[in-house]
Amino acid sequence: MGLPRLVCAFLLAACCCCPRVAGVPGEAEQPAPELVEVEVGSTALLKCGLSQSQGNLSHVDWFSVHKEKRIPIFRVRQGQGQSEPGEYQHRLSLQDRGATLALTQVTPHDERIFLCQGKRPRSQEHRIQLRVYKAPEEPNIQVNALGIPVDSKEPEEVATCVGRNGYPIPQVIWYKNGRPLKEEKNRVHIQSSQTVESSGLYTLQSILKAQLVKEDKDAQFYCELNYRLPSGNHMKESREVTVPVFYPTEKVWLEVEPVGMLKEGDRVEIRCLADGNPPPHFSISKQNPSTREAEEETTNDNGVLVLEPAQKEHSGLYECQGLDLDTMISLPSEPQELLVNYVSDVRVSPAAPERQEGSSLTLICEAESSQDLEFQWLREETGQVLERGPVLQLHDLKREAGGGYRCVASVPSIPGLNRTQLVNVAVFGPPWMAFKERKVWVKENMMLNLSCEASGHPRPTISWNVNGTASEQDQDPQRVLSTLNVLVTPELLETGVECTASNDLGKNTSILFLELVNLTTLTPDSNTTTGLSTSTASPHTRANSTSTERKLPEPESQGVVIVAVIVCILVLAVLGAVLYFLYKKGKLPCGRSGKQEITLPPSRKSEFVVEVKSDKLPEEMGLLQGSSGDKRAPGDQGEKYIDLRH
């Protein structure tokens, strides 16, 4: 034990006593170089760490150290710089009075040690370590589109991540559902490689291999690149991808759209689903209600059975078969009952009811449905709801009660599911005219379309008392419309036109009077029509009796009224002109109050007051006011009043 201690003490003493040899290159310990960090493409500022005295900076040599060899790149003499020939010849310049050397357009190849060396007063040098950084591009991820079977014995390729043009080499991390993946024997393997581009930048490629299970069918994978810049640590993430995972089918089932209660007329889709990937080959069958055997249905290219429009016959028991093409194993689904709700066979009894006036009628509506029904009765012409329920009672029938009645059978629990049936009620009676008399405004020698409408049971026929082109059109089983195309002649203007409707129970007549349109004719009212068609007759002209007696209307005194109005206007105009003439001749002097009396001849016993506003011309005076009871008080001194008294 004593001998080793003596040897150690001797060696320690010898080391302490031995003097260091100064100035011998490689023997003295070099200080750590100054670190300068820049990004690719920017400018690196290399500051010479020598004494800041003017003498030291006036004579400096710059070197780049590559593979432990000094290569001169720049020299400073008397404060003036000069680049040495070589790769840095055109990228170096002096700054800060010679204390800093600027290197532009930095590349990854510039990552090395730079050294500045001074000559006076004694040889000194300063070392600078230049670090270069470049952020990689956004990572590009490519998923294995062929997919991975879950029964694979070893990890399969999931995706490949590529990060281009980074410096230095970034670090890659893989994630599944937001959690980082690590190497795991026989489960997860990450294989990375890098390529150096001609620019000196790196392209990183990383391949993720994994052994997946059925639960990974929706797993989200992505990669992350971690890298450093002078500003600190950074990261970039790729998009998320899902890899196809193949696993055998264990269950098959049916799905129906739309969900809920179905009705006739809907578009219904029946599709098969399975929990395997890829899905098996599907077929859909329906049980025959008679034989109880399954009969295969025709599906579209996607294996979907489309019922459009759905009918009640489509109701029944459906089943799906899934055939795994790899194992050739067929799996059936659970049978599913499909119900298409319907309303059909709406019937009204009696189907064609006929009744006499004053009698009663009972209408009964029946229908079949898969659900509970509600009934209501509507009047066809008006849409008015008459009764709720399957029975409609009509008492003391009038002729107006004839026409259409509609029974509506609907399912309240399924909106839009309903059917209707129309029945026409016929009430015996002679023809019933839409109007008794009508005036039509026409022009002579024009072609005119006249219309005449009648209803009744039995169905009436219509005839005209003049020659022309007539046509009939049924409006409903008991109502007919006849149209006559005729030329307006003086004889026709004088006699008018008659249309006669008749059936086995009687006849009835309507009269159309033709009136010429001229300048003195006032605009026709709502009970007349100008042109080629006739308007609806007013209520008091409606004729529902069998009488054919007619009474020509007395001519209206329209021309007399117009003449009276024109005469009154002319009288007022003449009176205004006389007053204006007297005013201009000075015969109507006005006082400050704006009033002046004028004596009229004894024959003029009426009292007139004429108001003339000062801001209006004489031609713009208003109408004269009459009786003394209509006197108006003067307004203010800006108006002039002329009092005309007898």
Side-chain angles (χ1 to χ4, degrees):
M1 294 290 294
L3 182 59
R5 290 183 178 179
L6 292 173
V7 172
C8 290
F10 176 79
L11 292 175
L12 181 61
C15 290
C16 292
C17 295
C18 293
R20 292 181 179 273
V21 180
V24 179
E27 294 186 0
E29 182 179 354
Q30 295 289 342
E34 178 187 355
L35 182 63
V36 175
E37 297 179 321
V38 295
E39 291 190 47
V40 170
S42 61
T43 299
L45 299 179
L46 309 176
K47 295 185 178 181
C48 188
L50 301 178
S51 173
Q52 296 300 311
S53 64
Q54 186 64 31
N56 284 347
L57 297 177
S58 63
H59 190 105
V60 175
D61 291 318
W62 283 89
F63 302 89
S64 70
V65 180
H66 184 59
K67 295 182 179 180
E68 299 183 358
K69 181 180 179 181
R70 295 188 178 188
I71 302 173
I73 59 173
F74 201 84
R75 65 174 181 268
V76 181
R77 298 293 183 268
Q78 301 300 323
Q80 300 297 320
Q82 177 66 43
S83 294
E84 299 287 354
E87 60 177 320
Y88 295 104
Q89 182 175 359
H90 303 293
R91 294 195 290 145
L92 295 174
S93 61
L94 278 181
Q95 291 185 5
D96 194 18
R97 294 181 300 175
T100 301
L101 184 64
L103 173 61
T104 62
Q105 297 297 319
V106 172
T107 71
H109 300 294
D110 298 328
E111 185 170 271
R112 60 184 64 180
I113 292 178
F114 292 87
L115 182 148
C116 68
Q117 188 178 57
K119 296 297 184 182
R120 293 188 296 271
R122 60 186 179 85
S123 179
Q124 293 181 348
E125 65 181 27
H126 181 72
R127 301 166 68 88
I128 302 172
Q129 175 67 60
L130 181 62
R131 296 289 185 191
V132 181
Y133 300 94
K134 168 69 168 60
E137 299 174 4
E138 295 289 334
N140 179 33
I141 188 170
Q142 296 294 330
V143 71
N144 177 11
L146 298 178
I148 300 175
V150 296
D151 55 2
S152 177
K153 302 302 181 182
E154 59 184 17
E156 298 282 344
E157 180 179 330
V158 176
T160 300
C161 181
V162 178
R164 300 184 182 278
N165 298 324
Y167 193 88
I169 303 172
Q171 179 186 7
V172 63
I173 300 177
W174 282 95
Y175 289 85
K176 182 180 80 170
N177 295 331
R179 295 183 178 181
L181 293 173
K182 296 181 180 180
E183 288 274 353
E184 185 178 347
K185 187 177 181 180
N186 297 329
R187 296 287 298 172
V188 179
H189 178 60
I190 300 174
Q191 180 182 341
S192 299
S193 62
Q194 56 272 349
T195 302
V196 182
E197 308 291 344
S198 59
S199 61
L201 302 176
Y202 290 102
T203 293
L204 173 69
Q205 177 178 280
S206 180
I207 300 175
L208 172 64
K209 295 182 178 181
Q211 193 173 30
L212 302 182
V213 295
K214 180 179 178 180
E215 290 70 26
D216 294 326
K217 60 184 178 65
D218 298 320
Q220 300 287 327
F221 295 89
Y222 69 93
C223 63
E224 174 186 282
L225 297 181
N226 292 329
Y227 57 95
R228 190 179 185 281
L229 296 178
S231 58
N233 294 324
H234 299 267
M235 55 85 78
K236 288 184 178 181
E237 295 177 343
S238 72
R239 60 184 177 91
E240 293 182 329
V241 295
T242 301
V243 63
V245 179
F246 302 133
Y247 44 89
T249 298
E250 298 177 357
K251 183 180 179 181
V252 177
W253 66 94
L254 277 174
E255 185 178 85
V256 178
E257 290 185 357
V259 178
M261 301 187 74
L262 306 176
K263 66 178 183 297
E264 281 192 316
D266 287 345
R267 185 182 192 275
V268 179
E269 292 186 0
I270 303 176
R271 59 169 52 90
C272 292
L273 298 176
D275 60 353
N277 189 33
H281 173 73
F282 295 118
S283 62
I284 300 175
S285 59
K286 178 176 180 272
Q287 187 183 82
N288 188 311
S290 301
T291 64
R292 300 293 180 179
E293 293 182 358
E295 298 178 354
E296 186 171 344
E297 299 286 330
T298 302
T299 60
N300 61 17
D301 295 338
N302 298 323
V304 179
L305 176 59
V306 179
L307 309 177
E308 184 181 19
Q311 304 292 334
K312 68 177 182 178
E313 293 79 10
H314 292 139
S315 299
L317 202 61
Y318 288 83
E319 186 180 90
C320 176
Q321 292 283 339
L323 177 62
D324 193 321
L325 299 179
D326 291 333
T327 62
M328 299 306 294
I329 298 176
S330 180
L331 294 177
S333 70
E334 290 290 334
Q336 182 169 336
E337 183 75 26
L338 182 72
L339 175 60
V340 179
N341 294 283
Y342 65 92
V343 176
S344 64
D345 302 328
V346 179
R347 302 174 302 279
V348 176
S349 58
E354 296 179 328
R355 293 292 185 274
Q356 298 289 341
E357 283 192 278
S359 63
S360 298
L361 174 63
T362 299
L363 298 176
I364 301 175
C365 186
E366 298 176 308
E368 282 74 37
S369 175
S370 55
Q371 303 289 336
D372 293 335
L373 284 173
E374 283 188 358
F375 296 90
Q376 64 179 1
W377 287 91
L378 307 177
R379 190 71 160 108
E380 180 69 10
E381 288 80 2
T382 63
Q384 178 186 2
V385 178
L386 303 177
E387 186 67 50
R388 297 188 182 275
V391 179
L392 175 63
Q393 297 279 353
L394 299 176
H395 300 287
D396 190 19
L397 289 173
K398 303 297 183 184
R399 188 174 304 187
E400 293 87 345
Y405 294 83
R406 185 174 295 276
C407 172
V408 180
S410 60
V411 177
S413 58
I414 306 177
L417 181 55
N418 60 72
R419 288 287 182 88
T420 69
Q421 180 62 47
L422 176 66
V423 60
N424 282 287
V425 175
V427 179
F428 287 102
W432 197 31
M433 308 304 292
F435 61 89
K436 181 63 178 175
E437 297 175 353
R438 177 184 290 172
K439 183 182 293 185
V440 182
W441 296 89
V442 299
K443 293 181 180 179
E444 194 170 356
N445 296 324
M446 70 180 291
M447 293 302 297
L448 182 65
N449 281 334
L450 300 175
S451 63
C452 183
E453 183 179 317
S455 60
H457 184 70
R459 175 191 177 279
T461 58
I462 297 178
S463 61
W464 298 85
N465 70 333
V466 296
N467 293 327
T469 303
S471 61
E472 287 189 359
Q473 181 180 1
D474 289 337
Q475 303 297 98
D476 59 43
Q478 302 165 50
R479 187 161 53 100
V480 62
L481 175 68
S482 179
T483 303
L484 177 69
N485 185 261
V486 66
L487 177 66
V488 178
T489 63
E491 294 78 8
L492 197 65
L493 288 169
E494 184 176 348
T495 62
V497 180
E498 290 185 1
C499 69
T500 301
S502 59
N503 63 8
D504 295 341
L505 301 179
K507 64 180 181 179
N508 211 335
T509 302
S510 289
I511 305 173
L512 294 93
F513 301 105
L514 307 184
E515 295 285 346
L516 283 177
V517 177
N518 51 60
L519 296 177
T520 61
T521 302
L522 295 180
T523 302
D525 58 21
S526 60
N527 297 329
T528 61
T529 301
T530 302
L532 301 180
S533 61
T534 58
S535 66
T536 304
S538 61
H540 71 274
T541 64
R542 189 174 182 85
N544 296 325
S545 66
T546 60
S547 172
T548 59
E549 179 184 357
R550 68 174 181 174
K551 180 179 179 181
L552 295 178
E554 296 182 3
E556 297 176 0
S557 303
Q558 297 171 349
V560 176
V561 174
I562 294 175
V563 172
V565 172
I566 294 175
V567 171
C568 291
I569 294 175
L570 291 175
V571 171
L572 292 176
V574 171
L575 180 58
V578 171
L579 294 176
Y580 175 71
F581 176 79
L582 294 175
Y583 173 78
K584 297 295 289 185
K585 291 297 184 178
K587 301 298 184 179
L588 299 176
C590 299
R592 285 183 300 174
S593 64
K595 292 185 178 181
Q596 181 68 30
E597 292 188 356
I598 300 178
T599 303
L600 296 178
S603 60
R604 304 288 297 275
K605 298 298 184 180
S606 299
E607 219 173 49
F608 295 87
V609 177
V610 180
E611 175 183 337
V612 182
K613 292 190 177 180
S614 60
D615 58 348
K616 298 292 184 179
L617 295 176
E619 292 83 357
E620 297 177 332
M621 292 191 301
L623 295 177
L624 300 179
Q625 284 188 316
S627 63
S628 59
D630 294 332
K631 293 179 182 179
R632 294 175 57 184
D636 54 27
Q637 294 183 359
E639 297 181 348
K640 297 180 180 180
Y641 293 87
I642 303 175
D643 193 2
L644 307 181
R645 306 175 186 272
H646 62 279

